[in-house]
């Protein structure tokens, strides 16, 4: 039997208490997602293999819903902002929400039919991610980007399609501002 529980989420650090799991993504594991992978090598040589982002989960066994936080470090590879892997859900009938707690970012989305969207991520904005839209978060600010995600436990992740084909859009700095540009490497 599942019991109710109040879970404390720190909107600045992204700490979740109690949490059921967490993982860290190192920058080196994201190398080939960037427009210019050799620039990742140069970054790694200068800064070491930094924690690009961390995911902390509250995923009770047997529950139909789960939630957690993603904590993204700030940074750029050349002009391209630090990013998450990006994924579709394994189930194409499962959506998600991203409720930004602190920091600044952009949420890149596209559908398989070619529709694209970009949503602002800043404290107070709760992004609705419909089913069957690929999504990737980008930290465009000077500090951490922290957001709370909520989805169904059976949504699943399909990272492979984005790893192979890429996202349709990239978020880069142009003239000191975040700018969305088409991904020249996208494989249609
Ligand atoms: Fe998702």
């Amino acid at each position: 039997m599942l019991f109710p529980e109040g879970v404390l989420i720190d909107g600045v650090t992204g700490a979740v208490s109690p949490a059921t799991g967490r993982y860290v993504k190192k920058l080196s594991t994201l190398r080939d997602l960037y427009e210019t992978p050799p620039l990742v090598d140069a970054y790694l040589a200068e800064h070491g293999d930094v924690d690009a982002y961390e995911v902390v989960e509250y995923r009770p066994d047997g529950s139909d819903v789960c939630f957690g936080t993603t904590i993204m470090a700030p940074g750029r590879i050349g002009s391209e902002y630090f990013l998450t892997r990006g994924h579709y859900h394994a189930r194409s009938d499962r959506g998600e929400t991203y409720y930004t707690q602190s920091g600044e970012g952009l949420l890149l989305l596209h559908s398989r039919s070619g529709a694209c969207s970009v949503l602002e991520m800043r404290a107070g904005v709760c992004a609705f991610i419909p089913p069957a839209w690929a999504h990737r978060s980008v930290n465009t600010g000077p500090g951490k980007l922290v957001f709370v995600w909520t989805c169904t436990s059976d949504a699943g992740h399909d990272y492979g399609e984005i790893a192979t084909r890429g996202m349709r859009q990239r978020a880069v700095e142009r003239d000191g501002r975040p700018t969305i540009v088409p991904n020249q490497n996208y494989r249609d």
Side-chain angles (χ1 to χ4, degrees), residues 61-74:
D61 279 343
S63 171
D64 60 331
V65 296
C66 58
F67 57 86
T69 56
T70 299
I71 305 137
M72 295 186 70

Side-chain angles (χ1 to χ4, degrees), residues 41-105:
D41 301 334
Y43 189 102
L44 294 170
E46 185 176 354
H47 301 279
D49 199 0
V50 299
D51 295 349
Y53 63 94
E54 177 182 3
V55 176
V56 189
E57 300 180 330
Y58 179 77
R59 190 183 287 270
D61 279 343
S63 171
D64 60 331
V65 296
C66 58
F67 57 86
T69 56
T70 299
I71 305 137
M72 295 186 70
R76 285 199 325 265
I77 300 298
S79 63
E80 188 169 16
Y81 295 103
F82 271 21
L83 47 73
T84 59
R85 275 184 286 181
H87 62 273
Y88 285 98
H89 291 159
R91 285 192 59 148
S92 58
D93 59 348
R94 294 291 191 255
E96 188 166 14
T97 62
Y98 278 10
Y99 188 20
T100 301
Q101 303 293 295
S102 56
E104 300 154 40

